[in-house]
Amino acid sequence: MKRLIRPLLYTLVVLFALLFIGVYKYSPYLLMELHAASHTPPPIDPDMTEEEYWTIEKLSESVYAIGELSWYQKNWHYLIIGEDSAVLFDVGTGRFPIRSTVEKLTDKPIIALPSHLHYDHVGNLKEFEDVRMIDIPSVRKLANENTLHLDRYSHLGFIDQLSREPINIHKWIMDLGKIDLGDRELSIVSIPGHTDDSIALYDPKNNYLFTGDTIHRGTIIALLPGSSRSGYIRSMKRLTILYGARQPTLLGGHAAAEDGKRVPAMDWEVVGLLQSKIKSAEHDKTEYQGDLPRVLNISEGIEFHTGFDWSNQ
């Protein structure tokens, strides 16, 4: 009997270890599935008009912020207008069309550019013929030639019961590539952290840096599939090297709940605070508050939420 028990115990230990490793490795995916199972997206007033849904704020003579504030995530998208063309940086969830709203602000040809591939930033890409995309391996592997087929966890639309659709890419843009608007060029910068496909967009005319979900007011999330704290540290260092001397105004992809209709503009110092506080907490985990999520207070109105070592790829 003893000869049977010992192999059985070894087998159980191995199976438990494999189960633990599997749960640990796939924890970001399990968290998303558990969240989706317990989450019901809040309803939108069926009588709401497109004009009521979108909030428009003029930031300069050539830049508008377009707020999706009727949606619970308080998204902000940005229209940067040049002499020959315009860029729409992020296009919304797809709950309401956005193109007709944009065309009331400019008659220039519109280039649609998502800050990353999550559903609340790509939902209306189908409205645009000229869609640009960062050309990096993690995005290319989702593409069949110039059609992008997002998988469940690069899109995450299942959380809010939004379906995935193929994305037709007009042009791929390399990291540090440019978009020529006629009177100026906008620069695209790869900044992994929130996701590995996240980018920022720099407008030299207005000295604005559009940062999507990598830097925004409210809760910055770094515990999703593809999130990385070490990526954040490297990306903040990179932004400092590229733009530290100019210290542009940061314009994020979401507002904090207490912001109301205020555009989520931030001072440049947030870049340095993110880098230094994440780096310090990686050496002393007691600086994080809570277990899951682990929370860092970055500055007033900005928190950083992360997980365990699987959020540090």
Side-chain angles (χ1 to χ4, degrees):
M1 188 71 175
K2 290 182 179 179
R3 290 160 61 181
L4 290 173
I5 291 175
R6 182 171 291 179
L8 180 60
L9 288 174
Y10 284 152
T11 301
L12 289 173
V13 168
V14 170
L15 288 173
F16 180 80
L18 290 173
L19 178 63
F20 178 81
I21 292 169
V23 170
Y24 185 83
K25 180 178 180 180
Y26 294 105
S27 289
Y29 306 94
L30 294 173
L31 281 175
M32 293 301 98
E33 296 293 346
L34 290 171
H35 175 62
S38 61
H39 170 72
T40 301
I44 294 174
D45 183 352
D47 297 322
M48 181 175 287
T49 65
E50 189 174 331
E51 289 74 18
E52 293 170 328
Y53 186 78
W54 300 106
T55 298
I56 310 298
E57 295 290 339
K58 188 174 184 179
L59 303 184
S60 74
E61 288 303 313
S62 59
V63 178
Y64 289 88
I66 304 175
E68 197 168 0
L69 305 185
S70 298
W71 184 243
Y72 74 99
Q73 293 180 333
K74 309 299 182 189
N75 294 55
W76 281 93
H77 323 298
Y78 298 95
L79 179 65
I80 307 107
I81 303 170
E83 187 175 308
D84 298 332
S85 58
V87 166
L88 181 60
F89 190 61
D90 286 333
V91 299
T93 62
R95 291 285 185 179
F96 266 76
I98 195 173
R99 181 162 185 158
S100 59
T101 296
V102 172
E103 289 177 340
K104 293 174 184 176
L105 303 174
T106 182
D107 60 358
K108 307 296 183 184
I110 300 165
I111 299 165
L113 176 70
S115 64
H116 61 297
L117 296 177
H118 286 163
Y119 66 102
D120 52 322
H121 299 262
V122 302
N124 283 316
L125 285 178
K126 58 183 176 293
E127 294 187 65
F128 301 93
E129 296 80 27
D130 190 345
V131 175
R132 310 285 174 97
M133 191 67 62
I134 182 72
D135 193 350
I136 56 175
S138 63
V139 178
R140 278 283 187 175
K141 74 178 184 181
L142 300 172
N144 180 4
E145 295 184 349
N146 290 322
T147 301
L148 203 58
H149 299 277
L150 303 185
D151 60 35
R152 184 173 178 85
Y153 298 105
S154 60
H155 184 258
L156 293 182
F158 66 92
I159 292 172
D160 281 326
Q161 300 169 19
L162 293 170
S163 60
R164 306 189 301 274
E165 297 184 22
I167 299 171
N168 295 317
I169 309 302
H170 177 73
K171 187 175 182 180
W172 296 86
I173 306 177
M174 299 296 292
D175 180 27
L176 299 180
K178 310 286 187 182
I179 296 179
D180 188 354
L181 300 185
D183 58 338
R184 66 194 187 279
E185 290 184 330
L186 307 181
S187 301
I188 293 173
V189 184
S190 175
I191 49 168
H194 175 66
T195 63
D196 58 2
D197 50 55
S198 292
I199 64 171
L201 183 68
Y202 179 64
D203 177 3
K205 179 178 180 179
N206 295 285
N207 200 29
Y208 289 159
L209 185 68
F210 306 94
T211 53
D213 282 9
T214 303
I215 310 172
H216 62 83
R217 285 185 50 76
T219 301
I220 296 174
I221 301 295
L223 47 71
L224 304 173
S227 294
S228 171
R229 295 191 299 274
S230 59
Y232 258 98
I233 295 169
R234 291 191 298 270
S235 292
M236 297 308 103
K237 181 178 181 180
R238 188 179 200 212
L239 290 178
T240 301
I241 292 170
L242 290 170
Y243 303 114
R246 304 174 214 182
Q247 298 195 0
T249 298
L250 309 174
L251 291 164
H254 295 273
E258 63 269 21
D259 288 343
K261 292 188 175 182
R262 183 163 65 94
V263 176
M266 296 158 287
D267 292 335
W268 174 255
E269 68 178 9
V270 173
V271 171
L273 288 171
L274 272 168
Q275 180 181 352
S276 62
K277 291 195 173 188
I278 298 170
K279 189 173 183 179
S280 177
E282 287 303 287
H283 288 92
D284 181 4
K285 295 295 193 297
T286 62
E287 294 182 17
Y288 289 114
Q289 300 173 14
D291 294 316
L292 190 63
R294 292 177 170 180
V295 179
L296 278 178
N297 181 41
I298 302 301
S299 65
E300 184 178 355
I302 303 176
E303 287 186 346
F304 181 83
H305 288 207
T306 189
F308 300 111
D309 286 346
W310 38 256
S311 294
N312 195 30
Q313 300 304 311

